[in-house]
């Protein structure tokens, strides 16, 4: 076996200080197996060593939160003895190296996090960020990532119901692939990952262990360079069929009382699953690695412990339940093996072929991994943009046409038609609306789901950007009529060893925390992905937010489409015409300057609760929140979804017209209401102190502005629908 | 009407199909495991969508050789009604209960969307509850839904009126826009679209229920 020293430790990504700490903990030099264990457990990916100190500032509690961060996924009460279990996770580095398998195993991994808790997954969402379309790799990455997400999710039979896709040059060398899984469980059948019961058997189930993915967690904890692509072999290969069997087998066994604790083998495989279970339970574990089902011959203990082979679970069973478990897993053609037992030693003792190959204390490896308070440097204040001075080279309808055809705003139909969004026969609103809506099977309740972040806002002002990401998620759930419950976060940033990046992270957390508190919208699970940099160039900071809301009555909900002529269009919220950081500025004026639109959390909440109340009372069926591109883009999206046009009034006097049509002021919605509803809505607005004004009427087959020409829906549709298929086909 | 729904490893629309049958018949269908060699006493067998055995090798090829499929073939030979949806259709062609094959979609991508179907055989046991000339709006979701058969087989299907459904706007390259076909005896239907996902207004439509109501009528 290789002799371990500081140089070998450095090759494992451990710093000199960390290696010294390992020597202190063990009181001796570790062997290679032990060093491998420390290296993955203390990797950024597994230990959150740079982010932990900041993450604790996020609010995580509310009366409806059953289980917050720290478990495999967050758990929130949805009434009637049911809970929703959800989490979002990144698989950025593997997806850049091997897009199909990277994205596919990202989907598989987050699904396991949810069903390991006893929940049946009911919906998937994803948030993708690619480099500029002109970059030579972008097309290939889109094709691979989308096929990989579809290939895995479709086979599993879990509908992929929503997501978002952005393009920016900062992602040229580091794409982001964030996948969110949402499941539903009975509240009294939630499973946790704390090992318990001295002497209880530790059981391995699922796919056999191979050499794939060794050091994946370490790879995800370093910057990219030219050589990274040589790491292709460290990307795991997914088998969704095996995972489907694992899902059904686990849920079948969970119906009995056989399982004491269960944890999926994700990053750092058997190492992290065994250490985390023992750490949470305050126990020890001993494992005989020769009993691990293996796919390849001659695997060493080091390889067995670090393999990231997919579709595997580790369980602690009740004593005597092994036969019952084995019968279930054999029915589903899965390998199952008792590989060890729970002990009271507080140590992980690994043997192989009759010899002890590792013996380390659990707590210092898992719970007490290093925590770094890395130096922080705030982002410089953004260059101010005064709306009145922003040039308006195009008439509003011409600017609209240009915006609808920009990659960030075009229809993503080419992507989501590759995802099965209707399997399960509970999808009430799939991709293309404000939030996806999925019925809770067999009930009149539904879950509203949305993933959001505006990276350009976060880059310009990390705190406001973090706040905005949470507020926009909340707004999207409100816009379909849901009560927002909680969020999962997926924090994608650059190299935390650079103070500017760490400053972005810390400020984004502060902004998120402020919005979460103001909107009663706690964080219940999350994931951090750092080192998204290539050759020193970092991505736009992207704290992706995945939100879950509840509709108590699925008949009381809203969509962005209206169904008749003659409805009044109402704008909810204040319009200041904020153009800093807007898509208008970027796409029409070619400037990325300015501060992001400020989020006024009080107004956000007041306007949102007002809208939600209208939907809940059955007074409102058509609603769209305003986001990227501003008012005119939102109106065009509604018209296209409805296939009915609209006539809009000219901007009110005193407001800059470009800012009126394209400003990205927050906390706003557009509603479409009939004559009866109109009065009720305006009365309610007055009572609630919410600004609502009529801005036009529905009807016709074009979109027109008073005093200007109109543009046909057919033209707008061609612009919106045409770009992505043409772009993808151009590469074939 | 008594129904059995088969679950193969990798089936993922078995629950949805059982729910659709339960709604149409008022009775919970029996669930049958792929390794079973006998069917319970039923009038209809449903083969659900999904990725049986991962669809490794060819879609439906391994499932077509599972123990339960011998029983399904016997059942069909005795005139029992068999409904195969999506992967179930692929299994029926692989098992030789329906002619032709489902190959990869024309553009080589998975396609998931709502489509319109023409009911081209409105008198079958699977379509009689519909109106003549009725168009059905139902979802599709498949990677290998491109129906193909030799010219002679296609001519026979057309001549015998065995094309049950045709796509209005062909999404996958299927020959003759075929979305679903009947066996020579008219008691076996295979189709790629998912009628079980269109049985509820809240889900976007109820057109799919025509298939299930038709069976109830036929067996009344």
């Amino acid at each position: 076996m290789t002799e371990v020293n500081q140089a070998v430790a450095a090759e494992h990504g451990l710093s000199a200080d960390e290696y010294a700490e390992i020597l202190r903990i063990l009181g001796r030099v570790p062997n290679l197996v032990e060093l491998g264990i420390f290296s993955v457990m203390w990797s950024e990916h597994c230990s959150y060593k740079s982010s932990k100190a900041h993450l604790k500032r996020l609010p995580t509690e509310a009366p409806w939160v059953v289980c917050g961060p720290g478990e495999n996924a967050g758990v929130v009460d949805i009434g009637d003895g049911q809970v929703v279990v959800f989490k979002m996770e990144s698989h950025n580095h593997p997806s850049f190296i091997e897009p199909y398998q990277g994205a596919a195993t990202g989907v598989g991994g987050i699904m396991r996090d949810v069903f390991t808790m006893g929940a049946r997954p009911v919906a998937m969402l994803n948030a993708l960020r690619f480099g500029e379309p002109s970059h030579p790799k972008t097309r290939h990455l889109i094709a691979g990532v989308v096929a990989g997400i579809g290939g895995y999710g479709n086979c599993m039979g879990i509908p992929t119901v929503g997501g978002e896709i952005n393009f920016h040059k900062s992602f040229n060398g580091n794409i982001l692939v964030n996948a969110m899984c949402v499941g539903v469980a009975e509240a009294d059948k939630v499973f946790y990952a704390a090992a318990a019961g001295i002497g209880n058997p530790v059981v391995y189930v699922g796919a056999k262990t191979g050499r794939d993915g060794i050091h994946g967690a370490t790879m995800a904890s370093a910057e990219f360079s030219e050589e990274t692509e040589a790491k292709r072999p460290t990307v795991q290969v997914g088998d969704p069929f095996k995972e489907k069997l694992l899902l059904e087998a686990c849920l079948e066994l969970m119906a009995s009382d056989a399982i004491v604790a269960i944890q999926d083998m994700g990053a750092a495989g058997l190492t992290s699953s065994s250490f985390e279970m023992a750490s949470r339970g305050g126990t020890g574990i001993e494992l005989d690695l020769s009993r691990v089902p293996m796919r390849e011959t001659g695997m060493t203990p080091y390889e067995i412990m670090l393999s990231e082979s997919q579709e595997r679970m580790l369980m602690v069973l009740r004593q005597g339940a092994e036969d019952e478990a084995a019968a279930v897993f054999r029915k589903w053609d899965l390998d199952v093996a008792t590989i060890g037992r729970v002990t009271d030693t507080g140590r992980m003792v690994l043997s192989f072929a009759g010899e002890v190959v590792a013996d380390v204390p659990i707590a210092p490896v898992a719970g007490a991994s290093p925590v770094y308070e890395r130096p922080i440097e705030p982002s410089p204040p953004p260059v101010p943009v005064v709306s009145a001075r922003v040039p308006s080279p195009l008439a509003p309808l011409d600017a609209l046409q240009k915006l609808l055809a920009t990659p960030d705003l075009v229809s993503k139909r080419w992507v989501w038609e590759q995802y099965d969004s209707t399997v399960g026969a509970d999808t009430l609103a799939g991709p293309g609306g404000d939030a996806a809506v999925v019925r809770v099977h067999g009930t009149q309740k539904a879950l509203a789901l949305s993933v959001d972040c505006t990276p350009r806002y976060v880059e310009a002002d990390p705190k406001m950007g973090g706040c905005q990401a949470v507020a926009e998620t909340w707004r999207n759930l409100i816009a379909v009529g849901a009560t927002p419950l909680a969020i999962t976060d997926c924090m994608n940033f650059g190299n935390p060893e650079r103070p500017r990046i760490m400053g972005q992270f810390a400020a984004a957390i502060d902004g998120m925390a402020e919005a979460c508190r103001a909107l009663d919208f706690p964080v219940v699970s999350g994931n951090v992905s750092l080192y998204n940099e290539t050759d020193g160039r970092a991505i736009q900071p992207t704290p992706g937010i995945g939100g879950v809301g509840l509709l108590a009555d699925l008949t009381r909900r809203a969509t962005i489409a209206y169904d008749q002529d003659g409805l009044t269009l109402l704008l909810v919220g204040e319009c200041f015409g904020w153009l800093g950081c807007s898509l208008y500025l970027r796409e029409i004026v070619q400037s990325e300057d300015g501060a992001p639109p400020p989020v006024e959390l009080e107004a956000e909440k007041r306007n949102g609760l007002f809208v939600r109340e209208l939907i809940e009372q059955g007074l409102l069926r058509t609603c769209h929140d305003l986001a990227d591109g501003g008012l005119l883009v939102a109106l065009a999206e509604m018209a296209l979804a409805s296939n009915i046009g609209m006539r809009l009034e000219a901007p009110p006097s005193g407001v800059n017209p470009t800012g009126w049509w394209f400003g990205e002021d927050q906390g706003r919605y557009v509603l479409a209401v009939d004559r009866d509803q109109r009065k009720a809505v305006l009365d309610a607005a007055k009572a609630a102190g919410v600004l609502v004004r009529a801005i036009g009427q529905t009807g016709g087959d074009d979109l027109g502005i008073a005093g200007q020409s109109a543009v046909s829906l057919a033209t707008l549709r061609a612009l919106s629908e045409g770009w992505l298929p043409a772009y993808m086909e151009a590469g074939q | 009407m008594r129904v059995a729904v088969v679950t193969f490893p990798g089936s993922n629309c078995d629950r949805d199909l059982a729910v659709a049958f339960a709604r149409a018949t008022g009775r919970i269908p029996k669930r049958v495991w792929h390794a079973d060699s006998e069917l319970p006493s039923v009038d209809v067998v449903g083969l659900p969508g999904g990725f049986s055995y991962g669809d490794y090798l060819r879609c439906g090829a391994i499932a077509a050789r599972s123990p339960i499929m011998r029983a399904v073939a016997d059942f069909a030979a005795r005139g029992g009604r068999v409904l195969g949806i999506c992967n179930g259709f692929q299994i029926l062609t692989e098992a030789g209960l329906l002619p032709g094959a489902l190959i990869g979609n024309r553009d080589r991508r998975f396609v998931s969307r709502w489509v319109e179907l023409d009911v081209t055989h409105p008198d079958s046991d699977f379509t009689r509850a519909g109106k003549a000339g009725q168009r059905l709006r139902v979802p599709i979701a498949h990677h290998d839904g491109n129906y193909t058969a030799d010219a002679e087989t296609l001519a026979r299907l057309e001549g015998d009126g065995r094309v049950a459904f045709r796509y209005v706007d062909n999404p996958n390259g299927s020959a003759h826009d075929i979305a679903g076909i009947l066996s020579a005896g008219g008691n076996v239907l295979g189709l790629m679209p998912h009628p079980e996902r269109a049985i509820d207004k809240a889900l976007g439509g109820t057109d799919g229920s025509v298939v299930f109501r038709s069976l109830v009528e036929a067996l009344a």
Side-chain angles (χ1 to χ4, degrees):
Chain A
M1 201 185 258
T2 313
E3 194 182 327
V4 172
N5 53 39
Q6 179 140 358
V8 176
E11 279 170 29
H12 279 72
L14 290 159
S15 70
D17 287 347
E18 287 167 349
Y19 183 61
E21 179 63 11
I22 292 169
L23 296 181
R24 194 193 64 74
I25 289 168
L26 293 181
R28 60 177 166 82
V29 174
N31 65 35
L32 191 65
V33 179
E34 292 164 340
L35 185 77
I37 288 170
F38 274 101
S39 79
V40 292
M41 291 301 292
W42 286 7
S43 70
E44 188 67 56
H45 190 79
C46 291
S47 73
Y48 296 85
K49 58 191 169 189
S50 301
S51 56
K52 223 189 270 186
H54 299 283
L55 293 172
K56 65 178 187 223
R57 293 200 298 275
L58 292 169
T60 60
E61 290 176 0
W64 51 91
V65 173
V66 176
C67 175
E71 267 288 345
N72 282 299
V75 183
V76 174
D77 189 1
I78 55 169
D80 310 310
Q82 293 179 305
V83 291
V84 58
V85 178
F86 63 97
K87 188 180 180 187
M88 178 155 55
E89 209 163 64
S90 62
H91 226 212
N92 304 335
H93 294 78
S95 299
F96 183 77
I97 297 173
E98 177 66 293
Y100 185 99
Q101 292 297 343
T105 53
V107 167
I110 193 65
M111 284 180 178
R112 280 195 303 284
D113 277 335
V114 167
F115 73 75
T116 195
M117 299 200 71
R120 179 172 284 280
V122 298
M124 294 293 299
L125 296 94
N126 55 72
L128 312 177
R129 321 277 166 190
F130 295 105
E132 23 183 16
S134 60
H135 190 271
K137 275 198 175 157
T138 300
R139 191 180 279 111
H140 150 78
L141 290 168
I142 296 172
V145 165
V146 170
I149 290 172
Y152 210 101
N154 298 344
C155 183
M156 286 296 289
I158 319 289
T160 299
V161 296
E164 60 173 357
I165 300 178
N166 292 130
F167 300 86
H168 190 267
K169 61 179 185 287
S170 75
F171 302 106
N172 281 350
N174 294 81
I175 61 170
L176 301 185
V177 175
N178 296 174
M180 172 172 171
C181 181
V182 182
V184 173
E186 299 302 316
D188 57 359
K189 290 299 262 182
V190 174
F191 285 80
Y192 296 99
I198 307 310
N200 275 344
V202 176
V203 173
Y204 170 114
V205 63
K208 290 180 167 62
T209 296
R211 290 190 170 89
D212 47 335
I214 291 175
H215 282 306
T218 314
M219 174 182 77
S221 307
E223 275 184 51
F224 269 180
S225 64
E226 291 293 320
E227 295 104 64
T228 309
E229 307 218 8
K231 291 187 179 168
R232 189 183 293 259
T234 63
V235 177
Q236 316 86 324
V237 175
D239 179 354
F241 172 57
K242 187 77 82 181
E243 176 124 322
K244 170 70 173 163
L245 303 181
L246 193 59
L247 162 68
E248 297 301 335
C250 286
L251 292 182
E252 188 172 324
L253 186 61
M254 284 165 168
S256 77
D257 64 348
I259 299 174
V260 173
I262 178 165
Q263 162 92 39
D264 83 295
M265 293 193 222
L270 185 54
T271 297
S272 106
S273 57
S274 58
F275 273 88
E276 283 175 20
M277 284 218 288
S279 166
R280 289 192 185 114
T283 65
I285 283 182
E286 56 181 42
L287 298 177
D288 178 357
L289 299 181
S290 9
R291 293 203 222 158
V292 170
M294 280 173 265
R295 194 165 67 213
E296 302 175 52
T297 54
M299 286 188 69
T300 64
Y302 176 89
E303 290 169 329
I304 295 168
M305 288 305 286
L306 298 194
S307 162
E308 291 192 4
S309 290
Q310 298 290 291
E311 294 93 24
R312 303 179 301 161
M313 291 276 194
L314 195 64
M315 300 178 296
V316 173
L317 294 183
R318 178 174 53 74
Q319 281 189 63
E322 287 155 277
D323 290 347
E324 181 189 352
V328 170
F329 290 119
R330 291 213 184 94
K331 171 187 160 190
W332 291 97
D333 289 329
L334 292 166
D335 275 292
V336 55
T338 300
I339 62 168
R341 63 188 188 92
V342 178
T343 67
D344 61 359
T345 61
R347 298 183 75 84
M348 182 69 63
V349 182
L350 307 176
S351 61
F352 185 72
E355 270 179 53
V356 171
V357 293
D359 182 351
V360 293
I362 306 273
V365 179
S369 50
V371 174
Y372 294 136
E373 297 264 6
R374 295 195 188 275
I376 281 174
E377 183 190 321
S379 293
V383 181
V385 166
V386 178
S387 292
R389 292 197 202 130
V390 170
S392 303
L394 299 174
L397 290 175
D398 293 329
L400 170 68
Q401 293 179 60
K402 191 164 178 196
L403 281 174
L404 281 184
T406 60
D408 273 357
L409 287 177
V410 294
S411 161
K412 304 301 188 303
R413 183 183 306 277
W414 185 92
V415 170
W416 45 257
E417 282 199 344
Q418 295 186 57
Y419 304 147
D420 189 344
S421 55
T422 52
V423 63
D426 282 316
T427 304
L428 303 174
D434 281 332
V437 184
V438 176
R439 178 169 59 191
V440 178
H441 190 71
T443 74
Q444 282 299 301
K445 292 185 294 193
L447 299 170
L449 314 166
S450 183
V451 292
D452 297 281
C453 181
T454 314
R456 64 180 187 278
Y457 292 174
V458 190
E459 181 168 54
D461 179 344
K463 184 171 179 199
M464 190 55 81
C467 178
Q468 193 274 342
V470 173
E472 186 179 344
T473 308
W474 189 84
R475 202 181 307 141
N476 276 316
L477 301 178
I478 288 281
V480 298
T483 301
L485 294 175
I487 62 173
T488 177
D489 60 27
C490 195
M491 310 288 292
N492 308 273
F493 287 75
N495 181 347
E497 295 159 43
R498 293 204 292 135
R500 178 69 65 77
I501 301 291
M502 215 49 229
Q504 290 175 341
F505 188 90
I509 290 278
D510 287 335
M512 287 164 58
E514 214 172 283
C516 289
R517 263 191 295 274
L519 301 172
D520 298 320
F521 205 30
V523 180
V524 296
S525 58
N527 162 250
V528 178
S529 170
L530 301 174
Y531 296 97
N532 290 290
E533 288 201 23
T534 296
D535 300 329
R537 283 189 300 277
I539 58 162
Q540 284 186 331
T542 308
I545 306 296
V548 174
L550 179 67
L551 290 121
D553 173 2
L554 60 83
T555 65
R556 298 287 173 92
R557 63 187 181 88
T559 68
I560 73 167
Y562 45 87
D563 58 2
Q564 52 182 300
D565 290 6
L567 299 178
T568 302
L569 294 161
L570 299 175
L571 174 64
V572 177
E574 295 267 10
C575 177
F576 301 100
W578 192 279
L579 287 169
C581 255
S582 66
L583 279 185
Y584 178 91
L585 203 62
R586 193 180 83 188
E587 300 296 328
I588 310 288
V589 188
Q590 275 80 49
S591 158
E592 298 191 35
D593 287 344
V599 179
E600 305 286 352
L601 286 167
E602 240 172 75
E604 182 78 54
K605 190 170 183 177
R606 184 170 60 239
N607 296 353
L609 294 182
F610 164 73
V611 167
R612 199 187 68 78
E613 182 78 13
L614 292 174
I615 300 170
E616 199 175 64
Q617 287 176 6
L619 286 170
L620 182 61
R621 301 197 59 81
T622 308
C623 177
H624 190 15
D625 88 300
L626 270 59
D628 273 352
L631 177 62
L632 199 52
V633 166
L635 290 165
E637 288 168 349
M638 294 174 79
L640 288 173
S642 314
N643 207 22
I644 298 174
M646 50 177 65
R647 276 285 163 285
L648 302 171
E649 293 167 17
S653 57
V655 180
N656 170 276
T658 302
W660 168 259
W661 294 122
F662 301 107
E664 297 182 4
D665 306 78
Q666 299 293 296
R668 298 187 300 161
Y669 304 80
V670 174
L671 322 178
V673 295
D674 65 23
R675 193 187 305 268
D676 294 343
Q677 292 166 332
R678 177 182 163 148
K679 181 166 183 333
V681 169
L682 291 175
D683 288 349
K686 206 171 195 179
V690 171
L691 183 65
V692 177
R693 57 186 141 193
I695 57 167
Q697 288 226 319
T698 67
D701 58 4
D702 57 13
L703 191 154
I705 299 175
Q708 302 191 30
S709 60
V711 55
S712 75
L713 293 188
T715 301
L716 295 179
R717 192 178 306 283
L719 289 167
S720 171
E721 297 287 349
W723 185 83
L724 190 51
Y727 171 73
M728 293 307 296
E729 272 151 35
Q732 286 179 358
Chain B
M1 181 173 111
R2 295 158 306 163
V3 181
V5 172
V6 180
T7 299
F8 301 93
S11 293
N12 62 30
C13 305
D14 43 343
R15 185 195 71 183
D16 306 350
L17 185 55
V19 167
F21 272 121
R23 184 176 290 208
T25 65
R27 300 170 70 162
I28 309 277
K30 295 222 162 38
R31 305 297 283 272
V32 178
W33 183 236
H34 72 113
D36 297 347
S37 50
E38 281 177 40
L39 285 168
S41 173
V42 292
D43 307 302
V44 178
V45 172
L47 303 181
F51 291 74
S52 55
Y53 297 92
D55 278 347
Y56 299 141
L57 187 58
R58 287 187 312 276
C59 299
I62 303 175
R65 283 146 187 87
S66 64
I68 196 63
M69 283 308 293
R70 279 195 292 274
V72 172
D74 290 345
F75 176 77
R78 294 194 306 271
R81 272 68 163 190
V82 180
L83 171 62
I85 297 172
C86 199
N87 194 224
F89 186 14
Q90 294 164 339
I91 294 168
L92 287 171
T93 59
E94 285 286 345
L97 293 176
L98 290 173
L102 283 313
I103 61 171
N105 294 344
R106 182 179 42 202
D107 62 9
R108 299 188 299 282
R109 291 194 299 273
F110 192 95
V111 60
S112 162
R113 64 169 77 128
W114 286 75
V115 298
E116 285 194 314
L117 302 177
D118 275 328
V119 181
T120 38
H121 189 316
D123 307 320
S124 79
D125 287 354
F126 300 88
T127 51
R128 57 200 283 165
K131 299 179 203 71
Q134 187 176 5
R135 276 196 173 169
L136 305 182
R137 202 173 154 271
V138 290
I140 55 168
H142 57 247
H143 188 278
D144 297 81
N146 182 350
Y147 183 77
T148 184
D150 57 44
E152 193 190 327
T153 304
L154 288 170
R156 196 168 66 241
L157 288 173
E158 295 288 2
D160 295 348
R162 287 166 55 191
V163 176
F165 302 104
R166 253 187 256 278
Y167 300 110
V168 173
D169 184 7
N170 192 334
N172 54 27
S174 287
H176 295 206
D177 302 327
I178 286 174
I181 55 170
L182 294 159
S183 62
N187 60 317
V188 179
L189 171 70
L191 77 169
M192 288 311 295
H194 287 277
E196 81 281 14
R197 299 185 192 176
I199 57 163
D200 195 333
K201 202 159 159 265
L203 299 176
T206 58
D207 288 357
S209 59
V210 163
V211 172
F212 305 99
R213 285 192 285 112
S214 296
L215 279 166
V216 172
E217 270 187 28
L219 289 161

